[in-house]
Amino acid sequence: AGEIDVYNIQKRYIHKNGSTVWIDLHSNVKRDKSGQVEYAVATIVDITEREKTQTENELNQVRFQFIFEGQKAGILILEAVGDKDDGTDDLIVKQVNTAFCELFDAPAEEFVGKGLIAVYPQLREMHILTVVQRVLETGEPFYQPTSLYADQNLHFWFEIHISRLPNHEIMVVVNDETADVEARNIITAERDRVQQIFDIAGVILITLDLDGNISAINRHGAKILGASQEELIGKNWFQHFILPEEREVVQKVFGELLDGKQEENRRVEG
């Protein structure tokens, strides 16, 4: 009892040059009929390169996972499945990051190991399978600009990047553009509202650049000045439309307004 006939261990040793050497030691004991040891056979294999490769692979996996989870964009890794002749039938989800789960408001367990089209059939209508098939065949990345995704539970704007990995898996990067789209819509609506007020005002309304050139003027203002809006854009307001004897005073007030030395609503009599 307690006798060991087979022994295996992996150990590190220090080479004379100071580097680390890995060996795999494997020994077998040969016994006679009475159980006495006749001899032992030991093999020692240098596995340094294998250990270096394994260590590097582990480090690469850690690096990948750190980058994968650290992205604000949603990322998923897919494996295309389907008949070779009929093309891709579905996309099996191999891995998803936290950002993707948050975007679709679901845990990773609802995606990993499942068919993406089976989970989200709406994606078939977006021709995602055709796109993936093309990326797989050509290796050329695919980019889809901002689009709307909507189903019974979700409603968001996104842009998508699809690329083929060296192992022929597919990486999909989904950027949530909802906040930017909503902000642009607000800005556009406000700009249109201001433009409407600008156009219907019964007075001259103009905007000037820092040199006093007209950058915008309303229709009524152009009518008062006897020119089209296009003709007036770019002309210097002070040189063309202010009386010579008042020009210096008005330009001074304009300069002080730009420097913050004047009240914004000061009235200058002409």
Side-chain angles (χ1 to χ4, degrees):
E3 295 178 343
I4 300 175
D5 289 346
V6 178
Y7 180 74
N8 181 254
I9 189 173
Q10 295 176 353
K11 288 181 61 65
R12 289 179 296 174
Y13 293 94
I14 299 177
H15 194 276
K16 68 177 183 179
N17 64 12
S19 64
T20 299
V21 176
W22 280 90
I23 63 97
D24 183 292
L25 171 63
H26 186 88
S27 66
N28 286 289
V29 173
K30 176 65 176 177
R31 298 179 183 273
D32 60 21
K33 293 181 180 180
S34 65
Q36 296 298 313
V37 175
E38 290 186 333
Y39 58 87
V41 176
T43 59
I44 299 175
V45 179
D46 183 355
I47 59 170
T48 305
E49 289 303 317
R50 189 185 78 185
E51 286 297 315
K52 285 182 179 179
T53 301
Q54 181 176 334
T55 301
E56 185 63 28
N57 288 340
E58 291 172 352
L59 286 174
N60 287 337
Q61 182 60 33
V62 170
R63 295 184 187 114
F64 169 79
Q65 195 64 28
F66 180 80
I67 296 171
F68 188 71
E69 285 296 340
Q71 296 298 310
K72 292 182 179 180
I75 304 176
L76 68 162
I77 307 299
L78 304 171
E79 179 184 4
V81 294
D83 185 86
K84 182 178 180 181
D85 296 325
D86 295 336
T88 302
D89 183 60
D90 205 343
L91 304 164
I92 302 300
V93 180
K94 307 286 287 187
Q95 191 173 3
V96 296
N97 70 346
T98 300
F100 185 86
C101 294
E102 291 175 349
L103 182 61
F104 282 86
D105 193 27
E109 293 75 18
E110 290 197 13
F111 301 103
V112 177
K114 298 180 181 179
L116 189 64
I117 302 302
V119 178
Y120 292 102
Q122 296 87 343
L123 293 175
R124 188 182 295 275
E125 299 174 5
M126 301 173 67
H127 307 292
I128 190 72
L129 293 177
T130 302
V131 170
V132 167
Q133 187 72 31
R134 185 164 65 246
V135 172
L136 281 172
E137 291 174 355
T138 66
E140 293 294 325
F142 170 81
Y143 166 71
Q144 179 173 311
T146 303
S147 305
L148 175 65
Y149 178 87
D151 60 24
Q152 293 180 344
N153 302 312
L154 298 172
H155 183 283
F156 61 87
W157 293 89
F158 71 97
E159 66 174 18
I160 190 170
H161 300 260
I162 301 176
S163 55
R164 189 183 73 187
L165 298 177
N167 64 354
H168 281 251
E169 290 180 337
I170 292 292
M171 181 173 69
V172 180
V173 179
V174 183
N175 291 306
D176 186 357
E177 298 292 310
T178 305
D180 289 343
V181 170
E182 291 177 347
R184 288 196 296 268
N185 289 342
I186 291 173
I187 292 172
T188 300
E190 182 63 18
R191 183 187 62 203
D192 292 344
R193 186 182 71 84
V194 171
Q195 187 64 45
Q196 186 178 23
I197 295 173
F198 195 73
D199 285 337
I200 65 175
V203 294
I204 297 178
L205 291 177
I206 59 170
T207 60
L208 307 177
D209 63 20
L210 297 179
D211 296 321
N213 299 316
I214 299 173
S215 57
I217 184 168
N218 64 338
R219 284 194 289 265
H220 192 77
K223 182 179 180 181
I224 292 174
L225 296 176
S228 67
Q229 291 170 290
E230 291 75 15
E231 290 175 313
L232 296 173
I233 299 299
K235 290 188 179 297
N236 188 276
W237 175 252
F238 306 109
Q239 296 299 320
H240 290 87
F241 305 105
I242 301 298
L243 295 174
E245 59 269 23
E246 299 172 359
R247 192 171 296 153
E248 183 177 350
V249 174
V250 176
Q251 281 186 302
K252 180 181 179 182
V253 172
F254 179 73
E256 291 175 346
L257 282 170
L258 293 178
D259 294 336
K261 298 178 181 179
Q262 279 284 353
E263 296 179 6
E264 293 184 3
N265 294 324
R266 176 178 173 183
R267 180 175 179 178
V268 179
E269 297 288 346

